[in-house]
Coordinates of all heavy atoms in Angstrom, one line a residue:
M1 N 93.4 73.9 101.2 CA 93.5 74.8 102.3 C 94.9 75.2 102.6 O 95.8 74.4 102.4 CB 92.8 74.2 103.5 CG 91.4 73.8 103.3 SD 90.3 75.2 103.0 CE 89.7 75.6 104.6
L2 N 95.1 76.4 103.1 CA 96.5 76.8 103.4 C 96.4 77.6 104.7 O 95.4 78.2 105.0 CB 97.1 77.5 102.3 CG 96.4 78.8 101.8 CD1 97.4 79.8 101.4 CD2 95.6 78.4 100.6
K3 N 97.5 77.6 105.4 CA 97.6 78.4 106.6 C 98.3 79.7 106.4 O 99.3 79.8 105.7 CB 98.4 77.6 107.7 CG 98.3 78.2 109.1 CD 98.9 77.2 110.1 CE 100.1 77.9 110.7 NZ 100.8 77.0 111.7
L4 N 97.7 80.8 107.0 CA 98.2 82.1 106.9 C 98.6 82.6 108.3 O 97.8 82.4 109.2 CB 97.2 83.1 106.3 CG 96.7 82.7 104.9 CD1 95.5 83.7 104.6 CD2 97.7 82.8 103.9
N5 N 99.8 83.2 108.4 CA 100.2 83.7 109.7 C 100.1 85.2 109.6 O 101.0 85.9 108.9 CB 101.6 83.2 110.0 CG 101.7 81.7 110.2 OD1 100.9 81.2 110.9 ND2 102.6 81.1 109.5
I6 N 99.1 85.8 110.2 CA 98.8 87.2 110.0 C 99.1 88.0 111.3 O 98.6 87.6 112.3 CB 97.2 87.3 109.7 CG1 96.9 86.5 108.4 CG2 96.9 88.8 109.6 CD1 95.4 86.4 108.3
T7 N 99.9 89.0 111.1 CA 100.0 90.0 112.2 C 99.1 91.2 111.9 O 99.2 91.8 110.8 CB 101.5 90.5 112.3 OG1 102.3 89.3 112.5 CG2 101.6 91.5 113.5
N8 N 98.1 91.3 112.7 CA 97.1 92.4 112.5 C 97.5 93.8 112.9 O 98.7 93.9 113.4 CB 95.7 92.0 113.1 CG 95.8 91.9 114.6 OD1 96.6 92.5 115.2 ND2 94.8 91.1 115.1
R9 N 96.7 94.7 112.7 CA 97.1 96.1 113.1 C 97.2 96.3 114.6 O 97.8 97.4 115.0 CB 96.0 97.1 112.5 CG 96.1 97.2 111.0 CD 95.1 98.2 110.5 NE 95.1 98.2 109.0 CZ 94.1 98.5 108.2 NH1 92.9 98.7 108.8 NH2 94.2 98.6 106.9
N10 N 96.8 95.4 115.4 CA 97.0 95.5 116.8 C 98.3 94.8 117.2 O 98.7 94.7 118.4 CB 95.9 94.8 117.6 CG 94.6 95.6 117.4 OD1 94.6 96.8 117.3 ND2 93.5 94.9 117.4
G11 N 99.1 94.3 116.2 CA 100.3 93.6 116.5 C 100.1 92.2 117.0 O 101.1 91.6 117.5
E12 N 98.9 91.7 116.9 CA 98.6 90.3 117.3 C 98.9 89.3 116.1 O 98.5 89.6 115.0 CB 97.2 90.1 117.7 CG 96.8 91.0 118.9 CD 95.3 91.3 119.0 OE1 94.6 91.0 118.0 OE2 94.9 91.8 120.0
L13 N 99.6 88.2 116.4 CA 99.8 87.2 115.4 C 98.7 86.1 115.5 O 98.5 85.5 116.6 CB 101.2 86.5 115.6 CG 101.5 85.4 114.7 CD1 101.6 85.8 113.3 CD2 102.9 84.8 115.2
V14 N 98.0 85.9 114.4 CA 97.0 84.9 114.4 C 97.2 84.0 113.2 O 97.6 84.4 112.1 CB 95.6 85.6 114.2 CG1 95.2 86.2 115.5 CG2 95.5 86.6 113.1
S15 N 97.0 82.7 113.4 CA 97.1 81.7 112.3 C 95.7 81.4 111.8 O 94.8 81.2 112.6 CB 97.7 80.5 112.8 OG 99.1 80.7 113.1
V16 N 95.5 81.5 110.5 CA 94.2 81.3 109.9 C 94.3 80.3 108.8 O 95.2 80.3 108.0 CB 93.7 82.7 109.3 CG1 92.4 82.6 108.5 CG2 93.6 83.8 110.4
V17 N 93.3 79.4 108.7 CA 93.2 78.5 107.6 C 92.3 79.0 106.6 O 91.2 79.5 106.9 CB 92.8 77.1 108.1 CG1 92.6 76.1 107.0 CG2 93.8 76.5 109.1
A18 N 92.7 79.1 105.4 CA 91.9 79.7 104.3 C 92.0 78.8 103.1 O 92.9 78.0 102.9 CB 92.5 81.1 103.9
A19 N 91.0 78.9 102.2 CA 90.9 78.2 101.0 C 91.7 78.9 99.9 O 91.8 80.2 99.9 CB 89.5 78.0 100.5
A20 N 92.3 78.2 99.0 CA 93.0 78.8 97.8 C 91.8 79.3 96.9 O 90.7 79.2 97.2 CB 93.8 77.8 97.1
N21 N 92.2 79.9 95.8 CA 91.3 80.4 94.8 C 90.4 81.5 95.4 O 89.2 81.6 95.0 CB 90.4 79.2 94.3 CG 91.2 78.2 93.7 OD1 92.2 78.4 92.9 ND2 90.9 76.9 94.0
Q22 N 90.9 82.3 96.2 CA 90.3 83.6 96.6 C 91.5 84.5 96.8 O 92.7 84.1 96.9 CB 89.5 83.5 97.8 CG 90.2 83.0 99.1 CD 89.3 82.9 100.3 OE1 88.3 83.6 100.4 NE2 89.7 81.9 101.2
T23 N 91.2 85.8 96.9 CA 92.3 86.7 97.1 C 92.6 86.8 98.6 O 91.8 86.6 99.5 CB 92.1 88.1 96.6 OG1 91.0 88.8 97.4 CG2 91.7 88.1 95.1
L24 N 93.9 87.2 98.9 CA 94.3 87.4 100.3 C 93.4 88.5 100.9 O 93.0 88.4 102.1 CB 95.7 87.8 100.3 CG 96.3 88.2 101.7 CD1 96.1 87.0 102.7 CD2 97.8 88.5 101.5
M25 N 93.1 89.5 100.1 CA 92.2 90.6 100.7 C 90.9 90.1 101.2 O 90.4 90.5 102.2 CB 92.0 91.7 99.6 CG 91.1 92.8 100.0 SD 89.3 92.5 99.9 CE 89.1 92.8 98.2
E26 N 90.3 89.1 100.4 CA 89.0 88.6 100.8 C 89.1 87.9 102.2 O 88.2 88.1 103.0 CB 88.5 87.6 99.8 CG 88.0 88.4 98.5 CD 87.7 87.4 97.3 OE1 88.6 86.5 97.0 OE2 86.7 87.6 96.8
V27 N 90.1 87.2 102.4 CA 90.3 86.6 103.7 C 90.5 87.6 104.8 O 89.8 87.6 105.9 CB 91.6 85.6 103.7 CG1 91.8 85.1 105.1 CG2 91.4 84.5 102.7
L28 N 91.3 88.6 104.6 CA 91.5 89.7 105.5 C 90.3 90.5 105.8 O 90.0 90.9 106.9 CB 92.7 90.5 105.1 CG 94.1 89.8 105.0 CD1 95.1 90.8 104.4 CD2 94.6 89.3 106.3
R29 N 89.6 90.8 104.7 CA 88.3 91.6 104.9 C 87.3 90.9 105.7 O 86.6 91.4 106.6 CB 87.8 92.0 103.5 CG 86.6 93.0 103.6 CD 86.2 93.5 102.3 NE 85.7 92.4 101.4 CZ 85.3 92.5 100.2 NH1 85.3 93.7 99.6 NH2 84.9 91.4 99.5
N30 N 87.1 89.6 105.4 CA 86.1 88.8 106.1 C 86.5 88.7 107.6 O 85.6 88.6 108.5 CB 86.1 87.4 105.6 CG 85.4 87.3 104.2 OD1 84.7 88.3 103.8 ND2 85.6 86.2 103.5
R31 N 87.7 88.8 108.0 CA 88.1 88.8 109.4 C 88.1 90.2 110.0 O 88.3 90.4 111.2 CB 89.6 88.3 109.5 CG 89.8 86.9 109.1 CD 91.3 86.5 109.3 NE 91.9 87.2 110.3 CZ 91.8 86.9 111.6 NH1 91.1 85.8 112.0 NH2 92.4 87.6 112.6
G32 N 87.9 91.2 109.2 CA 87.9 92.6 109.7 C 89.3 93.2 109.8 O 89.5 94.2 110.5
D33 N 90.3 92.5 109.2 CA 91.7 93.0 109.3 C 92.0 94.1 108.4 O 92.9 94.9 108.6 CB 92.7 91.8 109.0 CG 92.7 90.8 110.2 OD1 92.4 91.2 111.3 OD2 93.0 89.6 109.9
V34 N 91.3 94.2 107.2 CA 91.4 95.3 106.3 C 90.0 95.7 105.8 O 89.1 94.9 106.0 CB 92.3 94.9 105.0 CG1 93.7 94.4 105.4 CG2 91.6 93.9 104.2
E35 N 89.9 96.9 105.3 CA 88.6 97.4 104.8 C 88.3 96.9 103.4 O 87.2 96.5 103.1 CB 88.6 98.9 104.8 CG 88.7 99.5 106.2 CD 90.1 99.5 106.8 OE1 91.0 99.3 106.0 OE2 90.2 99.8 108.0
G36 N 89.3 96.9 102.5 CA 89.1 96.5 101.1 C 88.0 97.3 100.4 O 87.1 96.8 99.8
L37 N 88.0 98.6 100.6 CA 86.9 99.5 100.2 C 86.6 99.4 98.8 O 85.4 99.6 98.4 CB 87.2 100.9 100.6 CG 87.2 101.2 102.2 CD1 87.6 102.6 102.4 CD2 85.9 100.8 102.8
C38 N 87.5 99.3 97.9 CA 87.2 99.3 96.5 C 86.9 97.9 95.9 O 86.6 97.8 94.7 CB 88.4 99.9 95.7 SG 89.8 98.8 95.4
G39 N 86.9 96.9 96.8 CA 86.5 95.6 96.3 C 87.5 94.9 95.4 O 87.1 94.0 94.7
G40 N 88.7 95.3 95.5 CA 89.8 94.7 94.7 C 90.0 95.3 93.4 O 90.6 94.7 92.5
Q41 N 89.6 96.6 93.2 CA 89.8 97.3 92.0 C 91.1 98.1 91.9 O 91.3 98.9 91.0 CB 88.6 98.2 91.7 CG 87.3 97.6 91.7 CD 87.2 96.5 90.6 OE1 87.5 96.8 89.4 NE2 86.9 95.3 90.9
R42 N 92.0 97.8 92.8 CA 93.3 98.5 92.8 C 93.1 100.0 92.9 O 93.8 100.8 92.2 CB 94.1 98.2 91.5 CG 95.3 97.4 91.8 CD 96.1 97.1 90.5 NE 95.4 97.3 89.3 CZ 95.5 96.5 88.2 NH1 96.1 95.4 88.3 NH2 94.9 96.9 87.1
A43 N 92.2 100.5 93.7 CA 91.9 101.9 93.8 C 91.9 102.5 95.2 O 91.9 103.7 95.3 CB 90.5 102.1 93.2
C44 N 92.0 101.7 96.2 CA 91.9 102.3 97.6 C 93.1 102.1 98.4 O 93.4 102.9 99.3 CB 90.7 101.7 98.3 SG 90.8 100.0 98.8
A45 N 93.8 101.0 98.2 CA 95.0 100.7 99.0 C 94.7 100.4 100.5 O 95.6 100.3 101.3 CB 96.1 101.7 98.9
T46 N 93.4 100.2 100.8 CA 93.1 99.9 102.2 C 93.4 98.4 102.5 O 93.2 97.9 103.7 CB 91.6 100.2 102.6 OG1 90.8 99.4 101.7 CG2 91.3 101.6 102.4
C47 N 93.9 97.7 101.5 CA 94.2 96.3 101.7 C 95.7 96.0 101.7 O 96.2 94.9 101.6 CB 93.6 95.5 100.5 SG 94.3 95.9 98.9
H48 N 96.5 97.1 102.0 CA 97.9 97.1 102.0 C 98.5 96.1 103.0 O 98.1 96.2 104.2 CB 98.4 98.5 102.2 CG 99.8 98.8 102.1 ND1 100.4 100.0 102.2 CD2 100.9 97.9 102.0 CE1 101.7 100.0 102.1 NE2 102.0 98.7 101.9
V49 N 99.4 95.3 102.6 CA 100.1 94.4 103.6 C 101.6 94.4 103.3 O 102.0 94.8 102.2 CB 99.6 92.9 103.5 CG1 98.1 92.9 103.9 CG2 99.8 92.3 102.1
H50 N 102.3 94.0 104.3 CA 103.8 93.8 104.1 C 104.0 92.2 104.2 O 103.7 91.6 105.2 CB 104.5 94.5 105.3 CG 104.4 95.9 105.2 ND1 104.1 96.7 106.4 CD2 104.4 96.8 104.2 CE1 104.0 98.0 106.0 NE2 104.2 98.1 104.7
I51 N 104.5 91.7 103.1 CA 104.7 90.3 103.0 C 106.1 90.0 103.7 O 107.1 90.7 103.5 CB 104.8 89.8 101.5 CG1 103.5 90.2 100.8 CG2 105.1 88.4 101.4 CD1 102.3 89.4 101.3
D52 N 106.1 88.9 104.5 CA 107.4 88.5 105.1 C 108.4 88.3 103.9 O 108.1 87.7 102.9 CB 107.1 87.1 105.8 CG 108.4 86.6 106.5 OD1 109.4 86.5 105.8 OD2 108.3 86.3 107.7
T53 N 109.5 88.9 104.1 CA 110.5 89.0 103.0 C 110.8 87.6 102.4 O 111.1 87.4 101.3 CB 111.7 89.8 103.3 OG1 112.2 89.3 104.5 CG2 111.4 91.2 103.5
A54 N 110.8 86.6 103.3 CA 111.1 85.2 102.9 C 110.1 84.7 101.9 O 110.4 83.7 101.2 CB 111.2 84.3 104.1
W55 N 108.9 85.3 101.9 CA 107.9 84.8 101.0 C 107.7 85.7 99.7 O 106.9 85.3 98.9 CB 106.5 84.8 101.8 CG 106.4 83.7 102.7 CD1 106.7 83.6 104.0 CD2 105.9 82.4 102.4 NE1 106.5 82.4 104.5 CE2 106.0 81.6 103.5 CE3 105.4 81.8 101.2 CZ2 105.6 80.3 103.6 CZ3 105.0 80.5 101.2 CH2 105.1 79.7 102.4
M56 N 108.5 86.7 99.6 CA 108.3 87.5 98.4 C 108.6 86.8 97.1 O 107.9 87.1 96.1 CB 109.2 88.8 98.5 CG 108.7 89.9 99.4 SD 107.0 90.5 98.9 CE 107.4 91.6 97.6
G57 N 109.5 85.8 97.1 CA 109.7 85.1 95.9 C 108.5 84.2 95.4 O 108.3 84.0 94.3
V58 N 107.7 83.8 96.4 CA 106.5 83.0 96.1 C 105.4 84.0 95.7 O 104.7 83.7 94.7 CB 106.1 82.2 97.3 CG1 104.8 81.4 97.0 CG2 107.2 81.2 97.7
V59 N 105.2 85.0 96.5 CA 104.1 85.9 96.2 C 104.4 86.8 95.0 O 103.4 87.1 94.2 CB 103.9 86.8 97.5 CG1 102.8 87.9 97.3 CG2 103.5 85.9 98.7
G60 N 105.6 87.3 94.8 CA 105.9 88.1 93.7 C 105.9 89.6 93.9 O 105.3 90.0 94.9
E61 N 106.4 90.3 93.0 CA 106.5 91.7 93.1 C 105.1 92.3 92.6 O 104.5 91.7 91.8 CB 107.6 92.3 92.3 CG 109.0 91.8 92.7 CD 109.4 92.4 94.0 OE1 109.1 93.5 94.3 OE2 110.1 91.7 94.8
P62 N 104.8 93.5 93.0 CA 103.6 94.2 92.5 C 103.7 94.5 91.0 O 104.8 94.8 90.5 CB 103.5 95.5 93.3 CG 104.8 95.7 93.9 CD 105.5 94.4 94.0
G63 N 102.6 94.5 90.3 CA 102.6 94.9 88.9 C 102.7 96.4 88.8 O 102.7 97.1 89.9
E64 N 102.8 96.9 87.6 CA 103.0 98.3 87.4 C 102.0 99.2 88.1 O 102.3 100.2 88.8 CB 103.1 98.6 85.9 CG 103.9 99.8 85.6 CD 104.1 99.9 84.1 OE1 104.5 98.9 83.5 OE2 103.9 101.0 83.5
E65 N 100.7 98.9 87.8 CA 99.6 99.8 88.4 C 99.5 99.7 89.9 O 99.3 100.6 90.6 CB 98.3 99.4 87.7 CG 98.2 99.8 86.3 CD 96.8 99.4 85.7 OE1 95.8 99.6 86.5 OE2 96.8 99.0 84.6
E66 N 99.8 98.5 90.4 CA 99.8 98.3 91.8 C 100.9 99.1 92.5 O 100.7 99.7 93.5 CB 99.9 96.8 92.1 CG 99.9 96.5 93.6 CD 100.1 95.0 93.9 OE1 100.0 94.2 93.0 OE2 100.4 94.7 95.1
A67 N 102.1 99.0 91.9 CA 103.2 99.7 92.4 C 103.0 101.2 92.4 O 103.4 101.9 93.3 CB 104.5 99.4 91.6
A68 N 102.3 101.7 91.4 CA 102.0 103.1 91.3 C 101.1 103.6 92.4 O 101.3 104.6 93.0 CB 101.4 103.4 89.9
L69 N 100.1 102.7 92.8 CA 99.2 103.1 93.9 C 100.0 103.0 95.2 O 99.8 103.9 96.1 CB 98.0 102.1 93.9 CG 96.9 102.4 94.9 CD1 96.4 103.9 94.7 CD2 95.8 101.4 94.8
L70 N 100.8 102.0 95.4 CA 101.6 101.9 96.6 C 102.5 103.0 96.8 O 102.9 103.4 98.0 CB 102.4 100.5 96.6 CG 101.5 99.3 96.8 CD1 102.3 98.0 96.5 CD2 101.0 99.2 98.3
D71 N 103.0 103.6 95.7 CA 103.9 104.8 95.8 C 103.3 105.9 96.6 O 104.0 106.8 97.1 CB 104.3 105.3 94.4 CG 105.4 104.5 93.8 OD1 106.1 103.8 94.6 OD2 105.6 104.5 92.6
F72 N 101.9 106.0 96.7 CA 101.3 107.1 97.4 C 101.2 106.8 98.9 O 100.8 107.6 99.7 CB 99.8 107.3 96.9 CG 99.8 108.0 95.6 CD1 99.5 107.3 94.4 CD2 100.0 109.3 95.5 CE1 99.5 107.9 93.2 CE2 100.0 110.0 94.2 CZ 99.7 109.3 93.1
S73 N 101.6 105.6 99.3 CA 101.4 105.2 100.7 C 102.5 105.6 101.6 O 103.7 105.4 101.2 CB 101.2 103.6 100.8 OG 101.2 103.2 102.1
M74 N 102.2 106.1 102.7 CA 103.2 106.4 103.7 C 103.8 105.1 104.3 O 104.9 105.2 104.9 CB 102.6 107.2 104.9 CG 101.9 108.5 104.5 SD 103.1 109.8 104.3 CE 103.6 110.1 106.0
E75 N 103.1 104.0 104.2 CA 103.5 102.8 104.8 C 104.3 101.9 103.8 O 104.6 100.7 104.1 CB 102.3 102.0 105.3 CG 101.5 102.8 106.3 CD 102.2 103.0 107.6 OE1 103.1 102.1 107.9 OE2 102.0 104.0 108.3
K76 N 104.6 102.4 102.6 CA 105.2 101.6 101.6 C 106.6 101.1 102.0 O 107.4 101.9 102.5 CB 105.4 102.4 100.3 CG 105.9 101.5 99.2 CD 106.2 102.2 97.9 CE 106.9 101.2 97.0 NZ 107.6 102.0 95.9
Q77 N 106.8 99.8 101.8 CA 108.1 99.2 102.1 C 108.4 98.3 100.8 O 107.6 98.1 100.0 CB 108.1 98.3 103.3 CG 107.7 99.0 104.6 CD 107.7 98.0 105.8 OE1 108.0 96.9 105.7 NE2 107.3 98.6 106.9
S78 N 109.7 97.8 100.8 CA 110.1 97.0 99.6 C 109.2 95.7 99.5 O 109.1 95.1 98.5 CB 111.5 96.7 99.7 OG 111.8 95.9 100.9
N79 N 108.6 95.3 100.6 CA 107.8 94.1 100.6 C 106.3 94.4 100.7 O 105.5 93.6 101.1 CB 108.2 93.2 101.8 CG 108.0 93.9 103.2 OD1 108.0 95.1 103.2 ND2 108.0 93.2 104.2
S80 N 105.9 95.6 100.2 CA 104.5 96.0 100.2 C 103.8 95.3 99.0 O 104.3 95.2 97.9 CB 104.4 97.5 100.0 OG 104.7 98.2 101.2
R81 N 102.6 94.9 99.3 CA 101.6 94.4 98.3 C 100.2 94.9 98.6 O 99.9 95.1 99.8 CB 101.7 92.9 98.2 CG 102.9 92.3 97.6 CD 103.2 92.6 96.1 NE 102.0 92.5 95.3 CZ 101.7 91.4 94.5 NH1 102.5 90.3 94.6 NH2 100.7 91.4 93.8
L82 N 99.4 95.0 97.6 CA 98.0 95.1 97.8 C 97.4 93.7 97.9 O 97.5 92.9 96.9 CB 97.3 95.9 96.7 CG 97.8 97.4 96.5 CD1 97.1 98.0 95.3 CD2 97.5 98.2 97.8
S83 N 96.8 93.4 99.0 CA 96.4 92.0 99.2 C 95.3 91.6 98.2 O 95.1 90.4 98.0 CB 96.0 91.7 100.6 OG 94.9 92.6 101.0
C84 N 94.6 92.5 97.6 CA 93.5 92.2 96.6 C 94.2 91.7 95.3 O 93.5 91.2 94.5 CB 92.6 93.4 96.4 SG 93.4 94.8 95.6
Q85 N 95.4 91.9 95.2 CA 96.1 91.5 93.9 C 96.9 90.2 94.1 O 97.6 89.7 93.2 CB 97.1 92.6 93.5 CG 96.4 93.9 93.2 CD 95.3 93.8 92.2 OE1 95.5 93.4 91.1 NE2 94.1 94.2 92.6
I86 N 96.6 89.5 95.2 CA 97.3 88.3 95.5 C 96.3 87.2 95.5 O 95.4 87.1 96.4 CB 98.1 88.3 96.9 CG1 99.1 89.4 96.8 CG2 98.7 87.0 97.2 CD1 99.8 89.7 98.2
D87 N 96.3 86.3 94.5 CA 95.5 85.1 94.5 C 96.1 84.0 95.3 O 97.3 83.6 95.1 CB 95.3 84.6 93.1 CG 94.5 85.6 92.2 OD1 93.5 86.1 92.8 OD2 94.8 85.9 91.1
L88 N 95.4 83.5 96.3 CA 96.0 82.5 97.2 C 96.2 81.2 96.5 O 95.2 80.7 95.8 CB 95.1 82.3 98.4 CG 95.1 83.5 99.4 CD1 94.1 83.3 100.5 CD2 96.5 83.8 100.0
L89 N 97.3 80.6 96.6 CA 97.7 79.4 96.0 C 98.1 78.4 97.1 O 98.6 78.8 98.1 CB 98.9 79.6 95.0 CG 98.7 80.7 94.0 CD1 100.1 80.9 93.3 CD2 97.7 80.3 93.0
D90 N 98.0 77.1 96.8 CA 98.4 76.1 97.8 C 99.9 76.3 98.1 O 100.3 76.0 99.2 CB 98.2 74.7 97.2 CG 96.7 74.4 97.1 OD1 95.9 74.9 98.0 OD2 96.3 73.6 96.2
A91 N 100.7 76.8 97.2 CA 102.1 77.0 97.4 C 102.4 78.1 98.5 O 103.5 78.2 98.9 CB 102.8 77.4 96.1
M92 N 101.3 78.8 98.9 CA 101.5 79.9 99.9 C 101.1 79.4 101.3 O 101.0 80.2 102.2 CB 100.6 81.0 99.5 CG 101.0 81.7 98.2 SD 99.9 83.1 97.7 CE 100.6 83.6 96.2
D93 N 101.1 78.0 101.5 CA 100.8 77.5 102.8 C 101.9 77.9 103.7 O 103.1 77.6 103.5 CB 100.7 76.0 102.7 CG 100.3 75.3 104.0 OD1 99.6 76.0 104.8 OD2 100.7 74.2 104.2
G94 N 101.5 78.6 104.8 CA 102.5 79.1 105.8 C 102.9 80.6 105.6 O 103.6 81.1 106.4
L95 N 102.3 81.2 104.6 CA 102.6 82.6 104.3 C 102.4 83.5 105.5 O 101.4 83.4 106.2 CB 101.6 83.1 103.2 CG 101.7 84.6 102.8 CD1 103.0 84.9 102.2 CD2 100.6 84.9 101.9
A96 N 103.4 84.3 105.7 CA 103.4 85.3 106.8 C 103.4 86.7 106.3 O 104.1 87.0 105.3 CB 104.7 85.1 107.7
L97 N 102.5 87.5 106.9 CA 102.4 88.9 106.5 C 101.9 89.7 107.6 O 101.4 89.2 108.6 CB 101.3 88.9 105.3 CG 99.9 88.5 105.8 CD1 98.9 89.6 105.7 CD2 99.5 87.3 105.0
T98 N 102.1 91.0 107.4 CA 101.7 92.0 108.4 C 100.8 93.0 107.7 O 101.1 93.5 106.7 CB 102.9 92.7 109.0 OG1 103.8 91.8 109.6 CG2 102.5 93.8 110.1
V99 N 99.6 93.3 108.3 CA 98.7 94.3 107.8 C 99.3 95.6 108.0 O 99.7 96.0 109.2 CB 97.3 94.1 108.5 CG1 96.4 95.2 107.9 CG2 96.8 92.7 108.3
A100 N 99.4 96.4 107.0 CA 100.0 97.8 107.1 C 99.0 98.7 107.9 O 97.8 98.5 107.9 CB 100.2 98.4 105.7
A101 N 99.6 99.6 108.6 CA 98.8 100.5 109.4 C 97.8 101.3 108.5 O 98.1 101.6 107.3 CB 99.7 101.5 110.1
A102 N 96.6 101.6 109.0 CA 95.7 102.4 108.3 C 96.2 103.8 108.1 O 96.9 104.3 108.9 CB 94.3 102.4 109.0
E103 N 95.8 104.4 107.0 CA 96.3 105.8 106.7 C 95.1 106.7 106.6 O 94.0 106.3 106.5 CB 97.0 105.8 105.3 CG 98.3 104.9 105.4 CD 99.1 105.0 104.1 OE1 99.5 106.1 103.7 OE2 99.2 104.0 103.4
G104 N 95.4 107.9 106.7 CA 94.4 109.0 106.6 C 93.8 109.2 107.9 O 92.7 109.5 108.1
Ligands
LIG201 S1 90.9 96.5 98.0 FE1 91.2 98.4 97.1 S2 93.2 98.4 96.4 FE2 92.9 96.4 97.2

């Protein structure tokens, strides 16, 4: 289990305990923090998050296709990731992230 520090779209900081071996999007979608409309197929970007920059080394940079989708986002930042592309690992205990504003 690992702890996630999530700032949701209302600007509220919530700490959540989650199991590893699932995607970050699944945790956020179950909480209603993101829509995850495409189910993790890298097609909707409704799972967009901003990773605390101190954690980018652990979480890693987006892959090529993920980066291409993020390029279409008005909310894109250097620490942007699609949460469906992040598999939660025990090493991510304490991960801090902010859910990007909804678009459209
Ligand atoms: S859930 Fe659609 S891109 Fe992540």
Side-chain angles (χ1 to χ4, degrees):
M1 301 295 270
L2 57 146
K3 190 170 117 181
L4 303 171
N5 296 309
I6 301 166
T7 302
N8 65 24
R9 287 180 182 150
N10 295 326
E12 298 157 348
L13 174 62
V14 288
S15 291
V16 173
V17 175
N21 302 317
Q22 59 182 331
T23 68
L24 176 57
M25 180 277 279
E26 289 171 309
V27 175
L28 297 174
R29 187 176 60 183
N30 288 342
R31 292 179 35 79
D33 288 331
V34 303
E35 294 79 12
L37 290 178
C38 76
Q41 299 302 305
R42 244 179 352 219
C44 71
T46 60
C47 65
H48 185 174
V49 297
H50 298 135
I51 301 294
D52 183 307
T53 51
W55 282 93
M56 280 303 280
V58 176
V59 174
E61 299 290 327
E64 203 170 313
E65 288 181 38
E66 180 184 344
L69 187 56
L70 286 167
D71 276 342
F72 286 104
S73 173
M74 302 280 289
E75 301 294 329
K76 187 189 172 198
Q77 299 179 4
S78 60
N79 56 343
S80 283
R81 290 294 314 265
L82 296 177
S83 58
C84 67
Q85 302 303 305
I86 299 171
D87 292 317
L88 291 176
L89 307 171
D90 289 331
M92 295 176 184
D93 186 27
L95 175 66
L97 62 116
T98 300
V99 179
E103 296 185 59

